[in-house]
Amino acid sequence: MTTCLANRFGRRLDPSALRRRFERARDAAGLEPLRFHDLRHTYGSLLVAGGIDLPSVKPAMGHSHLSTTERYLHARPAGELADRFTRALGGSPLPAAA
């Protein structure tokens, strides 16, 4: 997926300029070293962890195939999946831990 970002004059912002801006902002905020692409992965993971279904996450991430979006399933809380499986099999979910 190619993203075209613009500077304040409306001109294309080249990838190295975007990376430098990101690194300056990251360092100024005192964050741990992370890549710009890590923000994209975090976005997808937070959507899935928040209960957004994969067919809705797919276009938000710009994926062509649902199989690509499935890599974010790791973010779904295990307890939520266990409750869904239990309900699907006719049982009742366990009470939430205090």
Side-chain angles (χ1 to χ4, degrees):
M1 179 170 90
T2 303
T3 303
C4 183
L5 299 173
N7 65 17
R8 61 186 171 164
F9 302 111
R11 294 188 195 112
R12 185 178 174 278
L13 185 65
D14 68 274
S16 62
L18 179 61
R19 189 188 76 253
R20 285 191 305 272
R21 288 180 183 191
F22 165 72
E23 289 170 353
R24 282 196 306 264
R26 177 201 64 202
D27 295 344
L31 298 175
E32 297 284 326
L34 75 155
R35 300 167 302 151
F36 188 77
H37 188 79
D38 294 335
L39 298 177
R40 177 179 167 76
H41 187 73
T42 299
Y43 171 67
S45 296
L46 288 173
L47 290 176
V48 171
I52 306 299
D53 61 283
L54 290 182
S56 297
V57 174
K58 178 181 164 278
M61 296 294 295
H63 295 153
S64 298
H65 304 284
L66 192 60
S67 60
T68 304
T69 312
E70 288 174 349
R71 70 181 63 180
Y72 296 95
L73 281 174
H74 69 85
R76 182 154 293 157
E80 175 191 333
L81 287 176
D83 287 346
R84 286 183 180 185
F85 285 11
T86 301
R87 283 193 299 273
L89 297 172
S92 33
L94 297 173

